Amino acid sequence: MEERAFDTGRRPVWCPGCGNYGILIAVRRALAELGLRPEEVVVVTGIGCHGRISDYLKVNAFHTIHGRVLPLATGIKLANPRLTVIGHAGDGDAYAIGLGHLPHAARRNVDITYIVHDNMVFGLTTGQVTPTTPLGVRTKSTPFGNPERPLNPLLLALASGATFVARGFSGDVEHLKELVKQGIRHKGFAFIEVLQPCVTFFNTYKELKEKVYRLEDEGHDPTDFEAALRLAQREDRLPIGVFYKVERPTFEEAFAHAMNPPPALRRLAPPDLSRLLESFR
Amino acid sequence: MKLLLTGNYAAAYAVRDAQPDVISAYPITPQTPIIEKLAEFIDSGELKAKFVRVESEHSAMAALIGAASVGARTYTATSSQGLLYMYEVVWWAAGARLPIVMGLVTRALGPPWNIWSDHADFFTVRSSGWTMLFASSAQEVYDLTLIAYCVAEHRDVLLPALVAWDAFEVSHTYEPVELVEDATRLLPPKGAWAPPLAAEDPASLGNLAYPEEYAETRRLMVEAVRRVPLVFAEAAGRLRELTGRDYSRGYECYRCEDAETVFIAMGSVYGEVRSAVDALRARGVPVGALKVWLYRPFPYEGVARVLDGKKMAIVLSRTTSLGAMGPLATDVATALALKGCSVKLVEFSAGVGGVDVTEDDVVAMYKAALEREGGTYFWRGR
C-alpha cells in the first residue's frame, strides 16, 4: 500500500510549519507500511486544529464534538473490532474538556490508538492557555503569565493503567511513524503524546528540538514501570519513544461472548419467502 | 466617550464598567475575543476581577455558580456547542436564583461544523428562567449588557440574564460605541442583593426538595419573571436619562403606525429589514418593522398592540424550524392569539448557518408572503 493511498488530495489549511504536517505524514506512512487498506481504518477527531486531519486522511473519518474522541472511538471498536481505530485529539480536546475519558479508556484497555497533538496552547481559537501550557507563559488568556502548573499526560496515562505509553515529536517524522506503527500493532489502548509547536501562537520548535532525545539511544526497558515513571518526570530533557508496554486483556475480549458476531458484522438472514410463494400456488 | 469597537469588545467594555468580581470562561469561536479583552483589562488593572481559566464551559458556569452563591458579581461568555455543553448548569443557575450575566455570541450547531451565526443555540434556553436579551449592534451589546446586570441583581428578580448577538456581523465588526461615563449611576451598588450563602450565616443550597417545596420554588420563579419587564423598563429608563438611548419597551418599532405589514426580527438582520421597509415605502407599500430586544420574558402585550389591526406579520427567524414554527414566530402567534387578533402570520427561516440576508431578500420575502398562505417557509434566497 502506498502512502498516497491515504491522501484525500485536499490541501491542508494549517499554518506553514505547523507540527500537524509531521503527524499527518507519520500517520499516512505508518498506515501504508502496515499494509492496511483505507476501508479498514477509522479516524476519530475532536475540535481544534488537529481536527482537520480527518479531511486529509483517506480513511473512514468522524469529526466529533469537543473532547469526545475516546467514547466515540470505543463505540466504533466495540461495534466492529476488526477495524483499526485511531483517535486524534489536541491538548485542549484531550486534557481540558475531554480529560475525564482518558483514564477510563486506559483502564478499560480498549484496542485503539490515541494520538494527542500537544502544542501546549489552544491554537484554533488563536492562542489561549491549556492544561499543558508551561508555568509563566503569556498567552491571550494569561497576559500576566500562566499561574497554573501544567498536567503531565504521560504520568496520568501510566497511573491509569494504559498498556502502551509513548511520546513522539512532530519534528522527528520517521521516529513518530515507528511509534504510530507500534501503537497500532499493540493489542490494547495505545497512548501516544506528540510534542508539536504551534508556530503561530506558541512556537516551541527550537526548544523542543534541543530537548528531545530518543529513548532507545540511552537504553530503556519498556517493561520497567518504575523507570517509565521516572522518565516521564524528566524536565531537563524530553525523552521520546515507548515509555511502557504491557499485554493485558482488551475491553473487546470481555464482550466477545455477548457480541459474536459484533453488531457491525451481523447480516440479516435472507427473508423466508416460502409461505408467501405458497399462497400463489 | 466614543470608541470604535467590535460587538465582542463592546461586551468586554460593558463588563469592565460593571466591574464583576469573578469571570470564568472557556475559549470558543466566535466568543473568544471577549474573554481575551477581559484578560487584558485585568492585566492592565482596569478590571479588578478573578479570572478562572477552566477546562470546559460546564466548569465555567459551575465556577460562577460557586462565586455568585456568596454574592460575587460574575460574567461568562460562550457560543453554540459551548452553551449546549453548559446546559445542565445554565438551568441550575436560574433555579438557584443567582444573578449571573452571560454573553452569547450566536453560532450554528453541528453537525456539520459551522462557526457562523444561527439562533438555534439561543432558543435552547428560552424556558430556563434566564432573562434573555438580543442585541443587533455593538452599541446595543454594550447597553444591554449593563442593563442585564441591573435586571439580574434587582432584588425583585434575582435571576440570571444573558445578552446575545450575531457571530461576525456583530461580534467581529467594528462600529462606533458610546460608553457610559459613570456606570455606577446606572448599576446597582455591589452587594445590594442577598446571596443564598454567607459565611456568617450557615445555610445550604440545592438540597432535596419534596414536591410541594419544589413547586413553591418554581412558583416564586414565575413571579420573579413576571416582574422582569418592569425592572427592565426602570433600568432602561436610567440608561435613557444618561445617554438618550431608549430600550424601555423591550422592542423597537419602525414605521409601524400606518403599516399594513410588519416585519419582526432579532439581531443584525434588522438593519437590512429597515432598509427594505424604506425601499418598499418609497414604492408606496405600507410596511414597518419590529425588533425584539427583550426576548424572555416575551413582551406579548406590546407586540400584540403593535400588530393589532395589521394585515400581515412576517417573522424572520435565523434558525431552522423543525416540526413546528420557529420559537420567535410561535411567540408572535401567541401574542396575536391572546389578544384575539386575526393577522396573517408568515415565517421565513432565513440567514441559517451564516447565510447573508440582504435588503433585496427582505423585499422578495414580502412579495412571496403576499402570494403564500400563513406558515413557515425556508428562505433559499431569491
Side-chain angles (χ1 to χ4, degrees), chain A residues 47 63-66 68 92 96-97 122 124-126 128-129 140-144 147-148, chain B residues 26-29 32 35-37 39-40 42-43 51-57 81 85 113:
Chain A
I47 297 299
H63 191 5
T64 186
I65 55 174
H66 199 16
R68 311 306 146 199
I97 202 163
F122 284 111
L124 189 65
T125 49
T126 72
Q128 296 80 28
V129 72
K140 284 192 190 166
S141 59
T142 55
F144 28 87
E148 298 174 20
Chain B
Y26 187 78
I28 185 167
T29 304
T32 316
I35 55 162
E36 287 176 353
K37 194 76 188 166
E40 273 178 49
I42 294 172
D43 188 36
F51 190 147
V52 192
R53 282 163 294 273
V54 281
E55 66 288 347
S56 74
E57 290 85 359
Q81 308 290 135
Y85 192 49
W113 289 124

Short mmCIF file of all heavy atoms in Angstrom, two decimals, chain A residues 47 63-66 68 92 96-97 122 124-126 128-129 140-144 147-148, chain B residues 26-29 32 35-37 39-40 42-43 51-57 81 85 113:
data_model
loop_
_atom_site.label_atom_id
_atom_site.label_comp_id
_atom_site.label_asym_id
_atom_site.label_seq_id
_atom_site.Cartn_x
_atom_site.Cartn_y
_atom_site.Cartn_z
N ILE A 47 -12.16 18.64 18.41
CA ILE A 47 -12.19 20.04 17.98
C ILE A 47 -10.83 20.68 18.25
O ILE A 47 -10.27 20.57 19.33
CB ILE A 47 -13.30 20.81 18.71
CG1 ILE A 47 -14.66 20.22 18.35
CG2 ILE A 47 -13.25 22.29 18.37
CD1 ILE A 47 -15.04 20.27 16.91
N HIS A 63 -15.58 13.43 12.59
CA HIS A 63 -15.12 14.66 13.25
C HIS A 63 -16.16 14.97 14.33
O HIS A 63 -17.22 15.48 14.04
CB HIS A 63 -15.05 15.78 12.20
CG HIS A 63 -14.37 17.03 12.65
ND1 HIS A 63 -13.75 17.16 13.86
CD2 HIS A 63 -14.21 18.22 12.03
CE1 HIS A 63 -13.25 18.38 13.96
NE2 HIS A 63 -13.53 19.05 12.87
N THR A 64 -15.85 14.61 15.56
CA THR A 64 -16.88 14.64 16.60
C THR A 64 -16.86 15.94 17.41
O THR A 64 -16.17 16.88 17.06
CB THR A 64 -16.74 13.40 17.51
OG1 THR A 64 -17.83 13.38 18.44
CG2 THR A 64 -15.45 13.42 18.32
N ILE A 65 -17.64 15.97 18.49
CA ILE A 65 -17.71 17.18 19.31
C ILE A 65 -16.50 17.26 20.24
O ILE A 65 -15.76 16.30 20.41
CB ILE A 65 -19.04 17.28 20.10
CG1 ILE A 65 -19.28 16.05 20.96
CG2 ILE A 65 -20.20 17.49 19.16
CD1 ILE A 65 -20.48 16.17 21.86
N HIS A 66 -16.35 18.44 20.84
CA HIS A 66 -15.14 18.77 21.59
C HIS A 66 -14.94 17.82 22.78
O HIS A 66 -15.78 17.74 23.67
CB HIS A 66 -15.29 20.21 22.08
CG HIS A 66 -14.00 20.86 22.48
ND1 HIS A 66 -12.77 20.37 22.13
CD2 HIS A 66 -13.76 22.00 23.18
CE1 HIS A 66 -11.83 21.18 22.61
NE2 HIS A 66 -12.40 22.17 23.26
N ARG A 68 -14.75 14.45 22.90
CA ARG A 68 -15.43 13.14 22.97
C ARG A 68 -14.86 12.11 22.01
O ARG A 68 -15.55 11.19 21.56
CB ARG A 68 -16.94 13.29 22.74
CG ARG A 68 -17.59 14.35 23.57
CD ARG A 68 -17.36 14.24 25.07
NE ARG A 68 -17.30 15.59 25.62
CZ ARG A 68 -16.77 15.92 26.80
NH1 ARG A 68 -16.26 15.00 27.58
NH2 ARG A 68 -16.74 17.16 27.20
N GLY A 92 -6.10 20.65 24.10
CA GLY A 92 -7.34 21.23 24.62
C GLY A 92 -8.42 20.16 24.68
O GLY A 92 -9.13 20.02 25.67
N ALA A 96 -8.19 19.09 28.44
CA ALA A 96 -9.06 20.08 29.10
C ALA A 96 -10.47 19.51 29.14
O ALA A 96 -10.83 18.77 30.05
CB ALA A 96 -9.01 21.42 28.37
N ILE A 97 -11.23 19.78 28.10
CA ILE A 97 -12.67 19.46 28.14
C ILE A 97 -12.94 17.96 28.14
O ILE A 97 -13.94 17.51 28.69
CB ILE A 97 -13.38 20.16 26.96
CG1 ILE A 97 -14.87 20.33 27.23
CG2 ILE A 97 -13.14 19.46 25.64
CD1 ILE A 97 -15.54 21.35 26.33
N PHE A 122 -4.27 26.54 23.00
CA PHE A 122 -5.44 26.45 22.12
C PHE A 122 -5.09 27.20 20.85
O PHE A 122 -5.02 28.43 20.86
CB PHE A 122 -6.66 27.11 22.77
CG PHE A 122 -7.32 26.30 23.86
CD1 PHE A 122 -7.27 26.71 25.17
CD2 PHE A 122 -8.03 25.14 23.56
CE1 PHE A 122 -7.89 25.98 26.18
CE2 PHE A 122 -8.65 24.41 24.56
CZ PHE A 122 -8.58 24.83 25.86
N LEU A 124 -6.66 26.80 17.58
CA LEU A 124 -7.78 27.16 16.70
C LEU A 124 -8.46 28.44 17.16
O LEU A 124 -8.91 29.24 16.35
CB LEU A 124 -8.78 26.01 16.65
CG LEU A 124 -9.89 26.14 15.60
CD1 LEU A 124 -9.32 26.11 14.20
CD2 LEU A 124 -10.91 25.03 15.75
N THR A 125 -8.56 28.64 18.46
CA THR A 125 -9.17 29.86 18.97
C THR A 125 -8.12 30.97 19.16
O THR A 125 -8.35 31.92 19.87
CB THR A 125 -9.92 29.61 20.29
OG1 THR A 125 -9.06 28.90 21.17
CG2 THR A 125 -11.19 28.81 20.07
N THR A 126 -6.97 30.78 18.56
CA THR A 126 -5.90 31.78 18.42
C THR A 126 -5.13 32.09 19.70
O THR A 126 -4.81 33.23 19.96
CB THR A 126 -6.38 33.10 17.76
OG1 THR A 126 -7.20 33.81 18.68
CG2 THR A 126 -7.14 32.84 16.48
N GLN A 128 -4.90 30.54 23.54
CA GLN A 128 -5.19 30.68 24.97
C GLN A 128 -4.52 29.52 25.74
O GLN A 128 -4.14 28.52 25.17
CB GLN A 128 -6.70 30.67 25.24
CG GLN A 128 -7.45 31.84 24.64
CD GLN A 128 -7.73 31.61 23.17
OE1 GLN A 128 -7.85 30.49 22.72
NE2 GLN A 128 -7.83 32.70 22.41
N VAL A 129 -4.44 29.70 27.05
CA VAL A 129 -3.77 28.73 27.91
C VAL A 129 -4.52 27.39 27.90
O VAL A 129 -5.75 27.36 27.84
CB VAL A 129 -3.66 29.32 29.34
CG1 VAL A 129 -5.02 29.33 30.03
CG2 VAL A 129 -2.64 28.58 30.18
N LYS A 140 -2.99 34.65 25.29
CA LYS A 140 -4.04 35.68 25.24
C LYS A 140 -4.96 35.62 26.45
O LYS A 140 -5.60 36.62 26.78
CB LYS A 140 -4.84 35.54 23.95
CG LYS A 140 -4.09 36.06 22.74
CD LYS A 140 -5.05 36.15 21.57
CE LYS A 140 -4.32 36.44 20.28
NZ LYS A 140 -5.21 36.19 19.13
N SER A 141 -5.08 34.47 27.08
CA SER A 141 -5.92 34.43 28.29
C SER A 141 -5.09 34.53 29.56
O SER A 141 -5.63 34.59 30.65
CB SER A 141 -6.79 33.16 28.30
OG SER A 141 -5.99 32.01 28.28
N THR A 142 -3.75 34.54 29.41
CA THR A 142 -2.88 34.76 30.57
C THR A 142 -1.85 35.83 30.21
O THR A 142 -0.65 35.54 30.14
CB THR A 142 -2.14 33.47 30.99
OG1 THR A 142 -1.45 32.96 29.85
CG2 THR A 142 -3.07 32.42 31.54
N PRO A 143 -2.30 37.07 29.97
CA PRO A 143 -1.34 38.11 29.60
C PRO A 143 -0.33 38.38 30.71
O PRO A 143 0.72 38.95 30.47
CB PRO A 143 -2.22 39.33 29.31
CG PRO A 143 -3.54 39.03 29.88
CD PRO A 143 -3.68 37.56 29.98
N PHE A 144 -0.66 37.93 31.93
CA PHE A 144 0.23 38.14 33.07
C PHE A 144 1.04 36.87 33.35
O PHE A 144 1.71 36.78 34.37
CB PHE A 144 -0.59 38.52 34.31
CG PHE A 144 -2.00 37.96 34.26
CD1 PHE A 144 -2.27 36.69 34.72
CD2 PHE A 144 -3.03 38.70 33.68
CE1 PHE A 144 -3.56 36.17 34.62
CE2 PHE A 144 -4.31 38.18 33.58
CZ PHE A 144 -4.57 36.92 34.06
N PRO A 147 -0.45 31.02 35.67
CA PRO A 147 -0.17 30.76 37.08
C PRO A 147 -0.36 29.29 37.50
O PRO A 147 -0.11 28.95 38.65
CB PRO A 147 -1.21 31.63 37.79
CG PRO A 147 -2.37 31.63 36.86
CD PRO A 147 -1.83 31.48 35.46
N GLU A 148 -0.80 28.43 36.56
CA GLU A 148 -1.15 27.06 36.95
C GLU A 148 -0.11 26.05 36.48
O GLU A 148 0.36 26.12 35.36
CB GLU A 148 -2.52 26.69 36.37
CG GLU A 148 -3.64 27.57 36.89
CD GLU A 148 -4.97 27.30 36.20
OE1 GLU A 148 -5.14 26.23 35.61
OE2 GLU A 148 -5.83 28.19 36.26
N TYR B 26 -14.33 29.52 28.80
CA TYR B 26 -13.56 28.56 28.01
C TYR B 26 -13.59 29.07 26.57
O TYR B 26 -14.63 29.54 26.12
CB TYR B 26 -14.22 27.19 28.12
CG TYR B 26 -13.44 26.06 27.48
CD1 TYR B 26 -12.35 25.50 28.13
CD2 TYR B 26 -13.80 25.55 26.25
CE1 TYR B 26 -11.63 24.46 27.56
CE2 TYR B 26 -13.10 24.50 25.67
CZ TYR B 26 -12.02 23.96 26.33
OH TYR B 26 -11.32 22.92 25.76
N PRO B 27 -12.48 29.00 25.86
CA PRO B 27 -12.47 29.58 24.50
C PRO B 27 -13.41 28.85 23.55
O PRO B 27 -13.49 27.63 23.58
CB PRO B 27 -11.02 29.39 24.04
CG PRO B 27 -10.23 28.99 25.24
CD PRO B 27 -11.18 28.40 26.22
N ILE B 28 -14.13 29.60 22.74
CA ILE B 28 -14.87 29.03 21.61
C ILE B 28 -15.11 30.14 20.60
O ILE B 28 -15.47 31.25 20.98
CB ILE B 28 -16.21 28.37 22.04
CG1 ILE B 28 -16.89 27.68 20.85
CG2 ILE B 28 -17.16 29.38 22.68
CD1 ILE B 28 -18.04 26.75 21.21
N THR B 29 -14.88 29.84 19.34
CA THR B 29 -15.19 30.78 18.27
C THR B 29 -16.71 30.88 18.17
O THR B 29 -17.36 29.83 18.20
CB THR B 29 -14.61 30.25 16.94
OG1 THR B 29 -13.21 30.04 17.14
CG2 THR B 29 -14.84 31.22 15.81
N THR B 32 -14.41 34.02 21.73
CA THR B 32 -13.12 34.16 22.41
C THR B 32 -12.58 35.59 22.59
O THR B 32 -12.03 35.90 23.65
CB THR B 32 -12.08 33.27 21.71
OG1 THR B 32 -12.69 32.01 21.44
CG2 THR B 32 -10.87 33.06 22.57
N ILE B 35 -13.28 37.29 26.09
CA ILE B 35 -12.53 36.93 27.31
C ILE B 35 -11.06 37.31 27.18
O ILE B 35 -10.40 37.57 28.18
CB ILE B 35 -12.70 35.44 27.68
CG1 ILE B 35 -12.32 34.53 26.53
CG2 ILE B 35 -14.12 35.18 28.15
CD1 ILE B 35 -12.05 33.11 26.97
N GLU B 36 -10.57 37.38 25.93
CA GLU B 36 -9.19 37.87 25.76
C GLU B 36 -9.09 39.32 26.18
O GLU B 36 -8.15 39.74 26.85
CB GLU B 36 -8.76 37.71 24.30
CG GLU B 36 -8.48 36.27 23.91
CD GLU B 36 -8.16 36.12 22.44
OE1 GLU B 36 -8.26 37.11 21.69
OE2 GLU B 36 -7.81 35.00 22.04
N LYS B 37 -10.10 40.12 25.76
CA LYS B 37 -10.11 41.54 26.11
C LYS B 37 -10.24 41.69 27.63
O LYS B 37 -9.59 42.54 28.23
CB LYS B 37 -11.28 42.24 25.39
CG LYS B 37 -11.19 43.74 25.39
CD LYS B 37 -10.15 44.20 24.38
CE LYS B 37 -9.90 45.68 24.49
NZ LYS B 37 -8.67 46.06 23.75
N ALA B 39 -9.19 39.58 29.84
CA ALA B 39 -7.89 39.22 30.43
C ALA B 39 -6.94 40.41 30.34
O ALA B 39 -6.17 40.69 31.26
CB ALA B 39 -7.31 38.01 29.71
N GLU B 40 -7.01 41.15 29.23
CA GLU B 40 -6.18 42.36 29.07
C GLU B 40 -6.54 43.42 30.11
O GLU B 40 -5.66 44.06 30.69
CB GLU B 40 -6.40 42.96 27.69
CG GLU B 40 -5.52 42.40 26.59
CD GLU B 40 -5.85 43.05 25.25
OE1 GLU B 40 -5.94 44.30 25.16
OE2 GLU B 40 -6.04 42.28 24.30
N ILE B 42 -7.81 42.94 32.99
CA ILE B 42 -7.34 42.50 34.32
C ILE B 42 -5.84 42.75 34.42
O ILE B 42 -5.33 43.24 35.43
CB ILE B 42 -7.69 41.02 34.56
CG1 ILE B 42 -9.21 40.86 34.65
CG2 ILE B 42 -7.02 40.51 35.84
CD1 ILE B 42 -9.70 39.42 34.70
N ASP B 43 -5.13 42.44 33.32
CA ASP B 43 -3.68 42.64 33.30
C ASP B 43 -3.32 44.11 33.48
O ASP B 43 -2.37 44.46 34.19
CB ASP B 43 -3.13 42.13 31.96
CG ASP B 43 -1.61 42.11 31.93
OD1 ASP B 43 -1.01 41.81 32.97
OD2 ASP B 43 -1.04 42.39 30.86
N PHE B 51 -10.03 35.85 37.30
CA PHE B 51 -10.35 35.16 36.05
C PHE B 51 -10.01 33.68 36.23
O PHE B 51 -8.84 33.35 36.38
CB PHE B 51 -9.54 35.77 34.91
CG PHE B 51 -9.95 35.33 33.53
CD1 PHE B 51 -9.85 36.18 32.45
CD2 PHE B 51 -10.44 34.05 33.30
CE1 PHE B 51 -10.22 35.78 31.17
CE2 PHE B 51 -10.82 33.64 32.04
CZ PHE B 51 -10.70 34.51 30.98
N VAL B 52 -11.03 32.84 36.25
CA VAL B 52 -10.80 31.40 36.42
C VAL B 52 -10.78 30.75 35.03
O VAL B 52 -11.80 30.73 34.35
CB VAL B 52 -11.89 30.74 37.29
CG1 VAL B 52 -11.47 29.34 37.69
CG2 VAL B 52 -12.19 31.58 38.52
N ARG B 53 -9.60 30.25 34.64
CA ARG B 53 -9.47 29.61 33.32
C ARG B 53 -9.77 28.12 33.48
O ARG B 53 -8.92 27.36 33.91
CB ARG B 53 -8.06 29.83 32.77
CG ARG B 53 -7.84 31.22 32.20
CD ARG B 53 -6.38 31.53 32.04
NE ARG B 53 -5.75 31.60 33.34
CZ ARG B 53 -5.69 32.71 34.09
NH1 ARG B 53 -6.19 33.83 33.64
NH2 ARG B 53 -5.14 32.69 35.28
N VAL B 54 -10.98 27.76 33.12
CA VAL B 54 -11.47 26.41 33.39
C VAL B 54 -11.25 25.50 32.20
O VAL B 54 -10.81 25.95 31.15
CB VAL B 54 -12.97 26.44 33.75
CG1 VAL B 54 -13.17 26.88 35.17
CG2 VAL B 54 -13.71 27.33 32.77
N GLU B 55 -11.60 24.22 32.39
CA GLU B 55 -11.35 23.24 31.34
C GLU B 55 -12.57 22.97 30.47
O GLU B 55 -12.50 22.15 29.56
CB GLU B 55 -10.83 21.94 31.95
CG GLU B 55 -11.79 21.18 32.83
CD GLU B 55 -12.03 21.84 34.18
OE1 GLU B 55 -11.28 22.76 34.55
OE2 GLU B 55 -13.00 21.45 34.85
N SER B 56 -13.69 23.64 30.73
CA SER B 56 -14.87 23.47 29.86
C SER B 56 -15.90 24.53 30.21
O SER B 56 -15.81 25.18 31.24
CB SER B 56 -15.50 22.09 30.05
OG SER B 56 -16.19 22.05 31.29
N GLU B 57 -16.90 24.68 29.35
CA GLU B 57 -17.98 25.62 29.62
C GLU B 57 -18.80 25.19 30.83
O GLU B 57 -19.30 26.02 31.58
CB GLU B 57 -18.91 25.74 28.40
CG GLU B 57 -18.29 26.45 27.21
CD GLU B 57 -17.47 25.54 26.33
OE1 GLU B 57 -17.36 24.32 26.64
OE2 GLU B 57 -16.94 26.03 25.32
N GLN B 81 -22.03 25.16 20.72
CA GLN B 81 -21.78 23.91 21.44
C GLN B 81 -21.38 24.18 22.88
O GLN B 81 -21.64 23.37 23.76
CB GLN B 81 -20.66 23.11 20.77
CG GLN B 81 -20.82 22.87 19.28
CD GLN B 81 -21.92 21.93 18.92
OE1 GLN B 81 -22.70 22.18 18.02
NE2 GLN B 81 -22.02 20.84 19.65
N TYR B 85 -23.02 22.45 25.99
CA TYR B 85 -22.24 21.67 26.97
C TYR B 85 -22.48 22.20 28.38
O TYR B 85 -22.43 21.46 29.35
CB TYR B 85 -20.76 21.73 26.60
CG TYR B 85 -19.94 20.72 27.37
CD1 TYR B 85 -20.34 19.39 27.44
CD2 TYR B 85 -18.79 21.09 28.03
CE1 TYR B 85 -19.62 18.46 28.15
CE2 TYR B 85 -18.05 20.16 28.75
CZ TYR B 85 -18.47 18.86 28.80
OH TYR B 85 -17.76 17.94 29.51
N TRP B 113 -19.98 21.03 11.12
CA TRP B 113 -19.43 22.16 11.84
C TRP B 113 -19.61 23.45 11.04
O TRP B 113 -19.44 23.48 9.84
CB TRP B 113 -17.94 21.95 12.14
CG TRP B 113 -17.72 20.90 13.16
CD1 TRP B 113 -16.96 19.78 13.03
CD2 TRP B 113 -18.26 20.86 14.49
NE1 TRP B 113 -17.00 19.05 14.19
CE2 TRP B 113 -17.79 19.68 15.09
CE3 TRP B 113 -19.10 21.70 15.22
CZ2 TRP B 113 -18.13 19.31 16.39
CZ3 TRP B 113 -19.44 21.33 16.51
CH2 TRP B 113 -18.97 20.16 17.08
#
